[in-house]
Amino acid sequence: MGLLNKVELLKDMIQTAIDNGARTVEDVHKSIADMPFEALERSGLLDEDRQKLRDKNQQTIGMVYEKIREINQKVGELASDMFETLEDGQHISKVMDENEKNTRQ
C-alpha cells in the first residue's frame, strides 16, 4: 500500500471518529439539555407550550451537530480530491519520465 493510500485510510479513520464523536456528544448534550424539561414533566408543570420549547431545543441541538457532521464530510471529500490529484500528478510524472527516458535512447 502506497503512502497516499495509507494517508487516505488514516483520513477516513479520523473522519469516522469525528462523526461518531459528534453523535456521542450530541446525545449527551441532548440528555443534559432535556433534564430541566424532565423535572417540569415530573412535577406536572410541562404544559403544551413548554413541550414545544423542549422539542425546538432538541431540534436546534440536532441541527448544530448535523452541521458539524456535514462539515466533516465536506472536509473529507476535499482531502480525498487532493489525494486523487496527487496520485494523478505522480502518474503523470512517471509517464513523462518514461517518455523522456525512451526519447533519449
Side-chain angles (χ1 to χ4, degrees):
M1 179 180 286
L3 177 62
L4 285 177
N5 288 337
K6 289 178 183 176
V7 172
E8 186 155 16
L9 180 62
L10 179 61
K11 183 264 320 169
D12 290 343
M13 291 170 58
I14 292 170
Q15 191 175 355
T16 298
I18 289 170
D19 190 64
N20 291 339
R23 287 185 196 286
T24 301
V25 172
E26 177 183 9
D27 290 344
V28 170
H29 190 164
K30 284 181 173 180
S31 293
I32 291 170
D34 202 46
M35 286 178 176
F37 294 105
E38 288 175 0
L40 288 171
E41 189 174 42
R42 279 192 303 270
S43 65
L45 298 174
L46 187 63
D47 60 16
E48 190 175 319
D49 287 339
R50 287 190 181 97
Q51 180 61 41
K52 288 178 184 176
L53 183 60
R54 179 187 211 175
D55 294 342
K56 187 68 171 173
N57 187 44
Q58 294 291 309
Q59 288 173 352
T60 302
I61 293 169
M63 288 172 26
V64 169
Y65 288 96
E66 182 59 34
K67 189 55 74 174
I68 290 169
R69 288 187 293 273
E70 182 182 316
I71 291 168
N72 181 45
Q73 179 68 32
K74 295 292 183 191
V75 169
E77 290 171 4
L78 178 62
S80 291
D81 289 347
M82 290 173 30
F83 294 141
E84 187 176 323
T85 300
L86 287 171
E87 288 172 342
D88 291 347
Q90 285 178 333
H91 177 71
I92 290 168
S93 179
K94 182 179 176 183
V95 168
M96 290 175 69
D97 288 347
E98 288 173 4
N99 286 343
E100 185 178 317
K101 181 180 173 184
N102 289 337
T103 58
R104 288 185 191 164
Q105 294 176 348

